Amino acid sequence: MPKPKSLVLFSLLLLATGLDTAAAEAANEDSLIVCTEASPEGFDVVQYSAAVTADASAETVLERLVRFVPGTTDLEPALAERWDISEDGLSYTFHLRQNVKFHHSKTFTPTRDFNADDVLWSFNRQLDPKHPWHDQALRGYPYAESMGMASIIERIDKLDDHTVRFTLNHPESPFLADMAMGFASIYSAEYADQLLAQNNSKQLNSHPIGTGPFVFDRYSKDSQIRFHANPDYWDGTPAIKKLLFAITPDPNVRIQQLKANACQIALYPRPTDIAALKTSNGIKVQALDSLLTAYIAINTRRPPLDDVRVRRALNMAFDKAAYVRAQYGEEGATPAVAPYPPTLWGHDAQLLGWPNDVKRARQLLEESGHADGFKLSIWTRPGGGPTNPNPGIGAQMLQADLAAIGITADIRVYEWGELIKRAKNGEHDLVFMGWAGDNGDPDNFLTPNLSCAAAKSGENMSGWCNKDFNALLNEARRVNQRSQRAALYREALSIFQDQAPWIALAYPKQFTALRTNVQGFVQSPLGSNNYARVSIKP
């Protein structure tokens, strides 16, 4: 039977924009195609920190003991039905949900339900150097290491098959919220044992098994990721039977595909495109003041960037206001002065940031012995995302402003995964980066990105380790009263401002463009994207 003319045109359009005919067949109310901005680093989420990786693993395949209520930073039960916290704040007892099924795959059929053994395996793997899987991670465990979880957690005890107790070495105020983060995802210990016995540990990173709403099918590198709905999901089978991530780094192409219904959700449209999108037929736009920060990490391990006068000069040379207007338009973001946005408690409204003062920047270079300038590299990515909508233009603006004070900058563009890997190795001078809050706590912006432990692990891409700053972070985590913690964070932010390990760029709004028949999608202030409750109206 001949295909209807509209379907033929639609299929040709999918092919022209990079989606295959299988994606065309999936475009119906039982399926959802999401145009994403980059490829995941892998699927073993505890080895990575990029939001795109978490979306492809922690938000689909894997789950945690607790989770965030959609659209908020409030906590609710997940794989743990409830929990008890001791009066001294040193003991957290989690009562696990029963009858939770792990996914099946072509190579793995679980013989039991989720239980306490899976919780112990998932955490001890990261925390215990003697664990048989500890050294299987090629890049270590960036979150667990940068947050110092091995020093926070004294031990984890299995009280019975459905009860687990975490005993801490000291009170840790953000601990429960930490348990909702991607690094706290729960894996199948049975699957891991099978892979290790087969000498096939790498499969954990390429074929994930979890308890989440979607089951992993396959990944075509730099092209697409396919999932199907978990029919045994404890929280109800998703309405979407097939989920496809179409990896589309160019934001213009993402919007073209959305308009053609080649995808039903386009993540991270450029803020400058929002006004036009709002007038497009069949499209709606969601906007949110998210917990996002865009910044440039200054590699303080490399001379002359180890000189605070040089770092201050870089901050003062860059016309941040012009950058924010060019990247985000008039309403897409506000200029940043600190590592986390004013929507998060503990922000210091008195912190003004560095002024754009080219004359003073030149004076600082002269005082540091670099009156004739020097050479450095600017690293950025090829495709745009929420914290860097137009990487090429942003890098060129920085390059021009640095040239005005005598610094010659070479722009280098790396694919997202390669950029992160090299920057964590400290190979850069300046690198455009961004951070989406993971748990609604200021510590999540500061400890993973700026602590001494994070400098050691590579997650702190400025390599900056300040003992006074670090001590304030440690003290703030041990205090329960929010007002006391906020005062400590304001003191830490003052040190950050003085030492200038970053060029803080912007606090972006988060935008998502959708077809009007997409229902149930809720933006997260944490920058993550979950599709378990999404449906397509016929």
Side-chain angles (χ1 to χ4, degrees):
M1 179 182 295
K3 292 183 179 180
K5 184 177 180 180
S6 59
L7 181 57
V8 172
L9 291 173
F10 180 58
S11 298
L12 289 173
L13 181 57
L14 285 171
L15 289 168
T17 55
L19 292 176
D20 59 18
T21 51
E25 295 170 1
N28 56 60
E29 61 269 22
D30 292 328
S31 304
L32 176 68
I33 302 173
V34 182
C35 285
T36 64
E37 84 282 16
S39 299
E41 302 155 282
F43 295 91
D44 184 10
V45 69
V46 301
Q47 295 191 51
Y48 309 107
S49 58
V52 66
T53 301
D55 279 359
S57 54
E59 296 297 326
T60 49
V61 178
L62 301 166
E63 294 185 288
R64 288 141 300 283
L65 297 175
V66 297
R67 67 186 182 187
F68 296 106
V69 176
T72 77
T73 58
D74 298 330
L75 296 171
E76 67 178 5
L79 291 179
E81 289 184 314
R82 58 187 176 87
W83 51 86
D84 307 311
I85 306 173
S86 63
E87 290 187 7
D88 61 7
L90 294 177
S91 177
Y92 289 71
T93 302
F94 293 94
H95 303 273
L96 307 183
R97 193 176 300 277
Q98 300 187 36
N99 302 315
V100 174
K101 311 296 182 184
F102 278 105
H103 301 162
H104 293 68
S105 73
K106 293 180 180 179
T107 61
F108 175 69
T109 300
T111 64
R112 62 166 176 80
D113 292 345
F114 155 74
N115 66 27
D117 292 331
D118 304 303
V119 178
L120 266 64
W121 186 93
S122 300
F123 284 93
N124 287 335
R125 169 204 181 191
Q126 301 180 67
L127 305 178
D128 182 4
K130 297 180 181 179
H131 192 277
W133 272 82
H134 185 77
D135 293 330
Q136 299 295 323
L138 297 177
R139 303 179 188 175
Y141 305 96
Y143 269 114
E145 292 167 5
S146 64
M147 296 169 67
M149 296 306 295
S151 63
I152 293 171
I153 299 173
E154 177 186 334
R155 67 179 186 276
I156 309 173
D157 296 309
K158 173 184 174 180
L159 304 186
D160 58 45
D161 280 349
H162 300 101
T163 313
V164 174
R165 182 174 60 210
F166 288 70
T167 301
L168 309 188
N169 284 307
H170 53 75
E172 182 74 9
S173 186
F175 182 75
L176 193 60
D178 290 345
M179 292 297 96
M181 292 170 56
F183 86 95
S185 294
I186 305 303
Y187 292 71
S188 165
E190 184 182 18
Y191 180 51
D193 289 344
Q194 175 182 300
L195 294 179
L196 201 60
Q198 297 171 345
N199 195 27
N200 190 23
S201 61
K202 292 182 179 180
Q203 186 169 309
L204 194 72
N205 193 30
S206 61
H207 293 79
I209 293 289
T211 60
F214 293 98
V215 181
F216 175 84
D217 286 329
R218 65 181 183 272
Y219 169 47
S220 299
K221 184 173 173 56
D222 299 329
S223 177
Q224 59 181 234
I225 313 169
R226 290 176 176 270
F227 308 87
H228 68 268
N230 178 6
D232 300 317
Y233 187 44
W234 63 268
D235 202 20
T237 304
I240 297 299
K241 304 308 178 188
K242 295 180 181 179
L243 174 64
L244 187 149
F245 290 179
I247 299 164
T248 319
D250 189 326
N252 291 324
V253 176
R254 291 200 293 272
I255 295 306
Q256 291 169 9
Q257 291 179 347
L258 180 70
K259 290 181 176 179
N261 200 27
C263 58
Q264 291 74 54
I265 296 178
L267 298 180
Y268 315 127
R270 288 181 178 138
T272 51
D273 294 334
I274 295 304
L277 281 171
K278 287 181 177 179
T279 63
S280 298
N281 290 331
I283 292 176
K284 58 185 176 181
V285 177
Q286 293 185 2
L288 185 68
D289 288 325
S290 296
L291 297 177
L292 294 174
T293 298
Y295 67 95
I296 299 168
I298 303 173
N299 191 347
T300 65
R301 293 161 289 199
R302 288 191 165 197
L305 303 178
D306 57 344
D307 189 322
V308 68
R309 294 169 297 185
V310 173
R311 300 197 298 271
R312 292 169 180 167
L314 298 182
N315 271 273
M316 299 178 85
F318 192 41
D319 189 345
K320 187 186 304 181
Y323 170 85
V324 171
R325 286 195 301 271
Q327 290 279 24
Y328 302 97
E330 295 299 326
E331 300 181 4
T334 55
V337 298
Y340 56 84
T343 51
L344 191 59
W345 61 270
H347 183 82
D348 187 356
Q350 304 302 314
L351 204 65
L352 299 179
W354 293 99
N356 180 214
D357 189 336
V358 175
K359 181 178 179 181
R360 179 57 182 150
R362 289 198 192 102
Q363 290 174 346
L364 286 169
L365 285 188
E366 184 175 352
E367 292 171 13
S368 68
H370 296 281
D372 295 329
F374 55 90
K375 295 181 179 180
L376 54 69
S377 62
I378 298 171
W379 289 24
T380 193
R381 61 192 290 183
T387 58
N388 195 355
N390 199 326
I393 288 179
Q396 290 166 19
M397 293 181 74
L398 177 60
Q399 182 186 48
D401 285 351
L402 295 183
I405 61 169
I407 297 175
T408 301
D410 172 37
I411 296 174
R412 302 179 189 177
V413 179
Y414 292 99
E415 180 272 327
W416 182 233
E418 186 71 10
L419 180 76
I420 293 175
K421 181 177 72 174
R422 286 174 173 265
K424 287 183 179 180
N425 289 336
E427 300 174 25
H428 62 291
D429 291 321
L430 308 179
V431 60
F432 279 82
M433 275 291 150
W435 187 260
D438 295 287
N439 63 11
D441 193 288
D443 177 73
N444 177 247
F445 280 83
L446 301 177
T447 294
N449 291 306
L450 291 161
S451 68
C452 293
K456 184 178 180 180
S457 71
E459 198 67 24
N460 175 348
M461 295 183 189
S462 66
W464 180 66
C465 174
N466 182 284
K467 292 182 179 179
D468 293 334
F469 180 88
N470 212 67
L472 289 166
L473 301 192
N474 291 337
E475 185 179 355
R477 291 203 305 269
R478 289 159 173 75
V479 174
N480 285 323
Q481 191 171 353
R482 178 172 288 190
S483 61
Q484 292 178 332
R485 295 186 70 206
L488 291 167
Y489 287 136
R490 285 193 289 271
E491 190 175 348
L493 293 181
S494 179
I495 296 174
F496 168 87
Q497 163 76 9
D498 178 71
Q499 292 297 303
W502 288 2
I503 301 175
L505 295 175
Y507 305 126
K509 286 187 177 181
Q510 183 175 321
F511 297 100
T512 304
L514 313 87
R515 301 292 302 180
T516 53
N517 62 340
V518 174
Q519 299 178 330
F521 178 78
V522 179
Q523 285 185 304
S524 168
L526 303 171
S528 56
N529 296 284
N530 187 289
Y531 308 101
R533 302 181 184 183
V534 173
S535 62
I536 305 293
K537 184 179 179 180

